[in-house]
Amino acid sequence: MNGAILGDLAAWTWEQDKEAFFRKLVSSEASSSWMVEELLLTADTLVLERGSDIKVHECLGKRQSPVATVMRAIAIGWLFGTEAETASAFQENGFASDKEDWYAGAFMWKLIFALRHGASKEEALMVENVSSFKGFVEDVSWKERSSILGVLIRAWDAFYSAYDFGSALHRAMELPGDRHLNGILVGALADAMYGCDRYMVKAKYGKGYSLTGLVNVPSRFQALYRAGRTFFAKNCAMTNVERHVWKDVANPYVDKIISRELRRRILKAFQPTFDDRYGFYLDDGYIYVYRNCRVLNRFKLSSMSDGTFRIVELQVSEEAGYQLGAIQEALYSVEYRWNCVSDDYVIDRLPGSDSLLQPFFGVSRLRMGLDGRGVTTLVTFMGCQLSCKYCLNERCHGKVYEDDGATPCKGILMLTPQQLYDIVKKDNIYFQATGGGVCFGGGEPLEHPEFIMEFRKLCGTRWKITVETALACHPHNIELLAPIVDHWIVDIKDMNPRIREKYTGRVGDSAHQLCYLKQYGIVDNVTIRVPHIPSFNTDEDVKRSIEQVKILGFMDIQEFEYLVLNRK
């Protein structure tokens, strides 16, 4: 989305100051067109509409034109987590005037959605709206049309031949027609694949230029835009833009098992530091390994029948002297130092790492009617992304280890799934007699899916597994635990994202996370807790939240009030 705005500003710069365009892409004096205003209106309205009674149709659709339809599609393509949600949003808010305009808008959001989720250019070409986008691109007659679909196809060609965000906009300026429109479309596509934090240039133009301060948009959907990217983008890595010579080499990592969580970490990656010098970024299907802005290796991840992945098509850069150790260094960072290098705020470790040893701050036995059905044992994980003002278990945010980094702090239990099972199995007779079992709380238990999955293997199906959660996790974790958990107790905080953010200190959307539960068939075994939060929401807010929860299909709803304890 930021890329579309920068594309519009770059067009102004091209027209008013070409020297500045080649040197830094966007002039600080550049102003945006009405098309960007339409894009921002769509984004702002859709974000505000979540959790409120704002009617989108009252705000959008006043300017109905083919171009406006595609502007709305760009915003919609970034703001929703699932393809179904995105399609529904465009269906309701696209406002196309005829079939061709509708095709252009639909292809626009589908292309952005595919690219920002890591699709290569060839994979993105195969998105469909009645027929594939590739079919339209390969039909020469479409490239000669002045309609919005013809403009989009020419914009795709400019993006397709580019190698990063800056080169894409260079090509956009050479297209016929409205230069601002061309810049917006090409910028939107290039941003989805490459990112747009920095303008990397060849030596003859200068040293490059930061673009992050040139897009002035409200933080409420800037955060959603940032969260919408599922991988570390090329322009964020700031690698050199010269052409590389690649050589196939023997693959020493052919037997390395890449779990789904490890794959997620490799793609999400991190900004290298002095301690973790090698990083990953994704570009057009390949995962690149780099250090100090220099590309060293690249490979692809191949999906296996058991749901894991393997490293394939390994190549080394001639410029880098054919180093292979960089991959091992980068893998070590994401596998064993994720808490240090990532802003995911996750404490969990991967399968096989210290036998899934995890920190807990409590194991409470023989609880009845508090944490699920029957007699339960409540087990509380350390760690949570949220910083709730009235957190019941503030201990979860404390230190795990003493200053020596090895000795657990007082009250912390370091347990593997087997060790936890050995502790709680003494209550097996109570669990089976009452239909109870183990409730995982915290902290946020959904940040530890591998631990819970391994525990399920040990206890079997004779015990019920419950989770008390705020769904403050990656949606992938919900998918992993969908077939494992018997009962979900979900504290939604508030369905209004603005209230939720103010109370928890984190951007998020309870409706989105509940949609993932619904997507994986988790509805009937869910208890939704809707709290009255003093000084943060009103009785009307709570009523509105309950209504929205019911619309999503969840009917087991508990309304209660948070206690405000004396806090220093």
Side-chain angles (χ1 to χ4, degrees), residues 407-427:
T407 305
C409 292
K410 184 178 180 180
I412 299 296
L413 299 172
M414 302 300 298
L415 300 173
T416 65
Q418 181 66 59
Q419 290 169 331
L420 177 62
Y421 175 76
D422 291 339
I423 292 173
V424 302
K425 68 181 181 182
K426 65 183 69 175
D427 293 325

Side-chain angles (χ1 to χ4, degrees), residues 145-165:
R145 300 193 185 189
S146 60
S147 64
I148 188 62
L149 185 53
V151 175
L152 175 58
I153 290 171
R154 290 192 292 274
W156 171 268
D157 283 345
F159 158 70
Y160 188 84
S161 62
Y163 53 83
D164 74 346
F165 183 76

Side-chain angles (χ1 to χ4, degrees), residues 380-398:
T380 46
F381 285 101
M382 290 289 288
C384 181
Q385 298 182 27
L386 307 183
S387 299
C388 299
K389 300 301 185 295
Y390 308 138
C391 179
L392 182 63
N393 293 320
E394 287 187 301
R395 180 67 183 86
C396 75
H397 295 292

Side-chain angles (χ1 to χ4, degrees), residues 128-256:
E128 292 192 358
N129 185 53
V130 180
S131 60
S132 72
F133 185 62
K134 184 177 182 179
F136 285 87
V137 171
E138 292 179 343
D139 186 342
V140 178
S141 65
W142 279 106
K143 299 180 182 180
E144 300 173 352
R145 300 193 185 189
S146 60
S147 64
I148 188 62
L149 185 53
V151 175
L152 175 58
I153 290 171
R154 290 192 292 274
W156 171 268
D157 283 345
F159 158 70
Y160 188 84
S161 62
Y163 53 83
D164 74 346
F165 183 76
S167 69
L169 286 186
H170 278 240
R171 286 162 170 76
M173 297 303 105
E174 299 170 357
L175 294 175
D178 187 326
R179 192 167 284 113
H180 286 263
L181 177 57
N182 292 333
I184 290 171
L185 298 186
V186 175
L189 295 169
D191 177 19
M193 170 166 276
Y194 299 122
C196 61
D197 286 351
R198 192 167 182 83
Y199 173 46
M200 302 301 292
V201 298
K202 294 182 179 179
K204 65 180 180 180
Y205 294 135
K207 297 182 179 180
Y209 193 76
S210 175
L211 302 173
T212 53
L214 298 175
V215 177
N216 184 21
V217 297
S219 60
R220 56 180 170 270
F221 59 81
Q222 183 71 275
L224 287 173
Y225 159 76
R226 292 290 181 189
R229 188 181 303 284
T230 61
F231 60 91
F232 199 85
K234 179 178 183 178
N235 273 50
C236 297
M238 298 188 293
T239 53
N240 46 329
V241 299
E242 286 76 13
R243 186 179 299 276
H244 294 274
V245 177
W246 294 99
K247 178 182 178 181
D248 294 323
V249 292
N251 184 1
Y253 308 104
V254 65
D255 295 323
K256 171 70 175 177

Side-chain angles (χ1 to χ4, degrees), residues 363-379 417 419-440 455-456 458-466 486:
V363 176
S364 178
R365 297 175 53 216
L366 303 178
R367 298 166 66 92
M368 175 67 81
L370 297 173
D371 311 293
R373 304 175 181 92
V375 173
T376 59
T377 292
L378 175 64
V379 181
Q419 290 169 331
L420 177 62
Y421 175 76
D422 291 339
I423 292 173
V424 302
K425 68 181 181 182
K426 65 183 69 175
D427 293 325
N428 172 55
I429 188 171
Y430 301 113
F431 296 162
Q432 295 197 58
T434 63
V438 174
C439 176
F440 290 98
F455 185 84
R456 170 60 89 189
L458 296 171
C459 74
T461 58
R462 63 187 187 277
W463 298 353
K464 296 296 186 292
I465 289 183
T466 300
D486 298 295

Side-chain angles (χ1 to χ4, degrees), residues 46-54 494-499 509 511 540-541 544-545 548:
L46 288 174
V47 170
L48 290 175
E49 187 268 344
R50 299 178 187 183
S52 74
D53 57 2
I54 293 176
D494 197 281
M495 293 293 280
N496 186 324
R498 288 170 292 179
I499 295 175
D509 192 330
E540 284 300 312
D541 292 323
R544 191 177 295 116
S545 290
Q548 291 182 51

